[in-house]
Every structure is written in structure tokens, then in C-alpha cells.
Amino acid sequence: MTPPVSPYMNVITPRSRRYRTIMTVLLVFLLGMSVYGGFKVMPAVHQAVGKSDMRELRLVAESKPSPGLTSEQIFHAQRTLKKRSVVVYLAMAYWGVCSLMMVGILFLAWLDFRETTRSFSQQAQALRQETVAILQQDALRRKTDEDEEDG
């Protein structure tokens, strides 16, 4: 015996399926990027910024040549600070991309929710209309049966 067919079986439309596939792919990429960022990007940022010579480098980079400080040393300090700031900016861009992917996933989830509720309401409306039609046919059949019995 086959189970009765539920009117709500096809609530997930092909569009909703597509949204969910894209969300799954984005989520896998986001998880991979988060793991990579945690183990590779953030240690590089910590290594670039967390050194104890940052204060001295800033002082040297902002100073002017003097007898105890050559322009070559100042240039080296400025270049080192620029390299370290590039690492920080790249890390910020990396996490910015991860954040945008998360926003994209949330946006797709909202679209999927909208599509699912639209499909659900259409199917519920179709079920109500079908029920009303069946009840009207049943009432008509009863009325004709009563008319035949009377006549």
C-alpha cells in the first residue's frame, strides 16, 4: 500500500535547491578560509605586529638623520614598518572577504526562506481550494440525492 501523498511534499522548489547548493559551497569555502586564516594568516599578523621592536622602529622611522642615526637606518625602519603594515592590511582584507561571504550566505538564506514560504503558501492555498471544491461537490451530490429521494 502506498503512503498518502502529502500536499506539502514539494515545498522545496528548484530555485530553493539552487540557493541551498550555493550556500553549502560558500559555507565550505568560509570554513576552509577560517581555518586557514586561524592557522596561517593570524600567526603572520602576530609575528609582524607582536614584535617588541615596533616602538623603536616607529621612533626611528619618524626621526631625522643625526650623527647617531643614518638615513639608511631610517629608510630600513620605514621599509620594515611598511612591510608589516602590508601584512596587517592583507589580513584585514582576508577577513573582510570572509565577512562578505558570511553576509552572502545570510542573504541567500533569506532568499531561500522567502522562496520556501511563498511555495508553502501557494500549496496551502491550492489545498484549501481543492478542499472547498470537494466540499461543494459533496454538498451538490447530497442535494441531488435528497432531490431524487423526494421525487
Side-chain angles (χ1 to χ4, degrees):
M1 184 167 156
T2 60
V5 178
S6 171
Y8 301 112
M9 281 182 66
N10 296 323
V11 173
I12 298 175
T13 61
R15 181 183 294 167
S16 183
R17 229 176 261 120
R18 191 175 332 122
Y19 290 150
R20 290 176 185 197
T21 303
I22 294 170
M23 281 191 298
T24 303
V25 169
L26 282 176
L27 188 61
V28 167
F29 276 119
L30 180 64
L31 289 174
M33 286 180 72
S34 296
V35 168
Y36 179 80
F39 287 112
K40 293 291 183 180
V41 175
M42 292 313 291
V45 170
H46 181 69
Q47 183 181 6
V49 176
K51 292 188 176 181
S52 59
D53 64 345
M54 286 296 290
R55 186 166 187 241
E56 296 167 11
L57 278 174
R58 284 194 185 117
L59 289 174
V60 170
E62 294 171 356
S63 62
K64 298 192 185 314
S66 62
L69 193 61
T70 65
S71 61
E72 188 67 32
Q73 291 172 326
I74 294 172
F75 179 71
H76 178 69
Q78 289 173 343
R79 189 173 50 201
T80 303
L81 281 176
K82 281 186 181 180
K83 285 181 183 178
R84 291 181 182 179
S85 66
V86 165
V87 170
V88 172
Y89 291 141
L90 288 175
M92 288 172 59
Y94 184 86
W95 291 113
V97 168
C98 286
S99 298
L100 286 176
M101 287 176 65
M102 197 176 330
V103 168
I105 290 171
L106 290 173
F107 178 69
L108 286 171
W110 175 71
L111 288 176
D112 180 40
F113 176 75
R114 234 181 61 185
E115 178 68 22
T116 303
T117 54
R118 183 190 62 79
S119 174
F120 182 81
S121 67
Q122 284 178 345
Q123 290 182 10
Q125 183 180 8
L127 181 64
R128 283 191 299 271
Q129 289 173 350
E130 182 181 335
T131 304
V132 166
I134 289 173
L135 289 175
Q136 286 175 347
Q137 287 175 354
D138 196 30
L140 183 64
R141 188 177 310 126
R142 283 187 193 153
K143 186 175 183 181
T144 55
D145 288 345
E146 288 175 2
D147 289 345
E148 287 176 2
E149 288 176 2
D150 288 342

